[in-house]
Amino acid sequence: VIEPLDLPTRRERLGELAAPLYMNEHDVFTALLGDRSESLRCVVAHHIAERKLANMRPELARLQTLDDPPFVVDAFEQAIARLDA
C-alpha cells in the first residue's frame, strides 16, 4: 500500500534518496543536459531549440563536448544553430 504523502514528508522520509528539488525550468534542463544518457541529452537539446529557450544556449555550449558520440554533438550543434537563427 502506498501512503499519500505531501512532498515535504516524502522528502524527509527518503532522506538522501530523494530526488533533488529544482527551482525552475532552467535548472531542470541543465541537469538533464548533463545526464549520462546520450539519448536523453539529445531529446532535451531538441526540446530547448523547439521551444526557443535562448536562455539555455550557454548551457548547451558549456555541456557540449567533442568526446560525445557524433549524434550527440550534432544534436547540440543543431540546437545552438536553431537558437542563433
Side-chain angles (χ1 to χ4, degrees):
V1 177
I2 298 175
E3 297 177 61
L5 299 173
D6 58 63
L7 184 59
T9 304
R10 180 177 294 122
R11 291 190 60 75
E12 181 182 317
R13 288 188 183 178
L14 286 171
E16 66 182 44
L17 297 175
L21 282 178
Y22 297 104
M23 301 311 286
N24 55 49
E25 184 178 64
H26 184 274
D27 293 345
V28 172
F29 287 143
T30 299
L32 292 174
L33 285 172
D35 193 85
R36 292 182 326 170
S37 169
E38 295 161 346
S39 298
L40 177 61
R41 293 175 64 214
C42 291
V43 169
V44 173
H46 175 78
H47 184 72
I48 288 168
E50 189 172 80
R51 293 192 51 207
K52 300 186 185 325
L53 301 176
N55 65 327
M56 291 300 303
R57 191 200 184 287
E59 293 302 320
L60 282 165
R62 182 178 71 82
L63 294 168
Q64 177 185 21
T65 69
L66 297 177
D67 295 336
D68 284 324
F71 70 93
V72 176
V73 173
D74 287 346
F76 275 57
E77 286 177 353
Q78 288 175 10
I80 290 170
R82 287 177 65 190
L83 290 174
D84 289 345

